[in-house]
Amino acid sequence: MSSPGVDGDPKPPCLPRNGLVKLPGQPNGLGAASITKGTPAAKNRPCQPPPPPTLPPPSLAAPLPRAALAGGLCPPAGLPLGGPASAPVPGPPVERPPLATDEKILNGLFWYFSACEKCVLAQVCKAWRRVLYQPKFWAGLTPVLHAKELYNVLPGGEKEFVNLQGFAARGFEGFCLVGVSDLDICEFIDNYALSKKGVKAMSLKRSTITDAGLEVMLEQMQGVVRLELSGCNDFTEAGLWSSLSARITSLSVSDCINVADDAIAAISQLLPNLAELSLQAYHVTDTALAYFTARQGHSTHTLRLLSCWEITNHGVVNVVHSLPNLTALSLSGCSKVTDDGVELVAENLRKLRSLDLSWCPRITDMALEYVACDLHRLEELVLDRCVRITDTGLSYLSTMSSLRSLYLRWCCQVWPSPPASEDWGVGDLGKALAQAVR
């Protein structure tokens, strides 16, 4: 307690007895002590001013103005530091496009539609067409154009070639032309902007293209590396000799009546980088398969000989010695191939992953034993219409742990037939076969 003064008035409450002024309290929370020796700090604490308010951490409050930090202006009463008074004023709301034309939403939505549905949706409005005409929505698709669809008939009766800008915008790398002539192909090359370099694959079906048309097409379309000729009966083997280019890596020839052994000679000599060859020709013999050399042996991994009726086991000998790196082989419809030919395949083509022996009526259970013993990497085996296959042959296949797909359609001596499926796991098909033949 403080004592009265001389005039009877009490001393100021914050003035110590010795008349010395105390230092103000420090913000470290330890309080302040009198500078007089022996004066207890507890007696001086009632006279200390209240500690300054503690500011919130910078991460929890907005920065204060410099004037307020310097002891000048203070925020209005009733508002927390860093509160709404220091928040930025919100601007006008951002206008977003409607959901029906929002490109971000459309880019994700259009993946759920088929190619035919995308063609219809592209006609709804310009916004949808702009999104749908991106090449990513059409990758892997090949447009099919018939000869009558390549021209528009004008009021005067004249024909005008159609506008192909929509195809160019979608970035198609391959085309299939049906029923076209040499003139139609020239018009296509002149009117399609990407024909010279952008087209990688070309397919001609049931067309009247001649040797001259084939030569012009492959000379002008320098980007073509995959070529298919089906049902084209007007070009000859001379056209292949004059037009084939070394850049071609995939070739398919089917139902072309002028293709025989000499055509295989042109293919083997002019296409050293050929990786895939599919041939359906009724007049090709064992002599043609002898034209393959070591040049194709390093690059060719797929060979399909479809309905080549004149090929025998001697032709198979030429194939296995010239093309040792094959991973896919089809002898479908080669009706003169027997178990001995399959034995040659199994002993020499150990890298095979796919083997098609469908419509080979001379194949028996012995051929399946050769397959099971030597082809340890085989994943797909097609035995459709192999009428001599029995359950005994299937028991051999049950030991193949790598086999995933087996086709046994119209094998009348097999019962029951396990369904052909692409969903078998490694070894699962062998277990199913083992159970089927018990």
Side-chain angles (χ1 to χ4, degrees), residues 78-154:
L79 291 178
L81 295 178
S86 58
V89 179
V94 179
E95 295 184 1
R96 298 192 62 181
L99 295 181
T101 58
D102 191 323
E103 293 190 3
K104 185 176 181 181
I105 295 178
L106 295 177
N107 272 288
L109 176 65
F110 288 148
W111 285 111
Y112 295 93
F113 295 93
S114 64
C116 295
E117 293 170 338
K118 292 174 187 176
C119 293
V120 177
L121 293 174
Q123 303 177 28
V124 172
C125 63
K126 293 182 178 180
W128 285 28
R129 173 173 293 190
R130 183 171 58 253
V131 174
L132 277 170
Y133 271 29
Q134 299 179 83
K136 64 180 182 180
F137 289 113
W138 310 93
L141 298 176
T142 300
V144 179
L145 300 177
H146 293 259
K148 61 182 180 180
E149 300 173 344
L150 296 177
Y151 299 92
N152 292 325
V153 180
L154 301 178

Side-chain angles (χ1 to χ4, degrees), residues 59-410:
S59 60
L60 301 178
L64 292 175
R66 289 187 176 182
L69 295 176
L73 299 176
C74 296
L79 291 178
L81 295 178
S86 58
V89 179
V94 179
E95 295 184 1
R96 298 192 62 181
L99 295 181
T101 58
D102 191 323
E103 293 190 3
K104 185 176 181 181
I105 295 178
L106 295 177
N107 272 288
L109 176 65
F110 288 148
W111 285 111
Y112 295 93
F113 295 93
S114 64
C116 295
E117 293 170 338
K118 292 174 187 176
C119 293
V120 177
L121 293 174
Q123 303 177 28
V124 172
C125 63
K126 293 182 178 180
W128 285 28
R129 173 173 293 190
R130 183 171 58 253
V131 174
L132 277 170
Y133 271 29
Q134 299 179 83
K136 64 180 182 180
F137 289 113
W138 310 93
L141 298 176
T142 300
V144 179
L145 300 177
H146 293 259
K148 61 182 180 180
E149 300 173 344
L150 296 177
Y151 299 92
N152 292 325
V153 180
L154 301 178
E158 299 180 356
K159 291 184 178 181
E160 180 186 25
F161 202 83
V162 297
N163 190 350
L164 299 177
Q165 292 183 358
F167 293 96
R170 284 173 279 185
F172 288 112
E173 294 186 351
F175 281 88
C176 177
L177 303 182
V178 181
V180 296
S181 63
D182 293 350
L183 179 61
D184 298 332
I185 294 174
C186 293
E187 290 287 346
F188 174 82
I189 295 174
D190 293 337
N191 289 275
Y192 186 59
L194 302 179
S195 63
K196 302 296 180 61
K197 297 292 184 180
V199 177
K200 305 297 182 184
M202 201 67 187
S203 175
L204 302 179
K205 295 184 177 181
R206 302 190 300 276
S207 299
T208 58
I209 185 173
T210 64
D211 295 343
L214 186 61
E215 184 176 358
V216 170
M217 183 185 72
L218 293 179
E219 182 180 354
Q220 295 291 326
M221 304 178 71
Q222 292 292 321
V224 173
V225 295
R226 298 186 298 274
L227 177 63
E228 179 183 5
L229 301 172
S230 178
C232 301
N233 296 325
D234 290 345
F235 79 92
T236 65
E237 295 168 338
L240 295 179
W241 279 105
S242 62
S243 60
L244 290 181
S245 173
R247 67 176 183 271
I248 295 178
T249 60
S250 177
L251 177 63
S252 176
V253 181
S254 61
D255 290 330
C256 300
I257 61 175
N258 294 321
V259 174
D261 291 350
D262 197 35
I264 308 303
I267 293 171
S268 62
Q269 294 187 28
L270 299 177
L271 304 180
N273 300 317
L274 189 65
E276 181 178 355
L277 173 62
S278 180
L279 182 65
Q280 181 184 11
Y282 307 113
H283 308 296
V284 172
T285 65
D286 296 335
T287 304
L289 301 182
Y291 290 125
F292 289 111
T293 62
R295 291 190 301 175
Q296 285 82 25
H298 296 290
S299 59
T300 305
H301 58 74
T302 300
L303 176 63
R304 299 185 182 93
L305 302 175
L306 309 174
S307 298
C308 297
W309 298 335
E310 301 299 325
I311 291 180
T312 66
N313 294 337
H314 296 288
V316 176
V317 172
N318 297 331
V319 169
V320 299
H321 289 162
S322 302
L323 307 175
N325 295 318
L326 288 179
T327 59
L329 174 63
S330 175
L331 298 174
S332 177
C334 299
S335 56
K336 293 185 179 181
V337 175
T338 65
D339 293 343
D340 294 335
V342 177
E343 182 181 11
L344 290 170
V345 170
E347 290 179 350
N348 295 276
L349 302 180
R350 300 296 181 90
K351 298 180 181 180
L352 278 183
R353 296 182 180 275
S354 175
L355 179 60
D356 187 354
L357 299 174
S358 60
W359 296 84
C360 294
R362 301 188 183 186
I363 299 298
T364 68
D365 295 335
M366 188 62 65
L368 301 189
E369 184 178 6
Y370 299 142
V371 170
C373 291
D374 296 324
L375 297 181
H376 302 296
R377 299 184 181 181
L378 195 66
E379 298 178 0
E380 181 185 50
L381 180 60
V382 183
L383 299 173
D384 296 342
R385 193 64 76 173
C386 293
V387 294
R388 296 190 181 184
I389 298 296
T390 67
D391 293 343
T392 303
L394 295 187
S395 65
Y396 299 137
L397 300 181
S398 63
T399 62
M400 302 182 67
S401 60
S402 62
L403 195 61
R404 300 177 65 92
S405 300
L406 177 63
Y407 297 87
L408 294 168
R409 291 168 290 192
W410 307 297

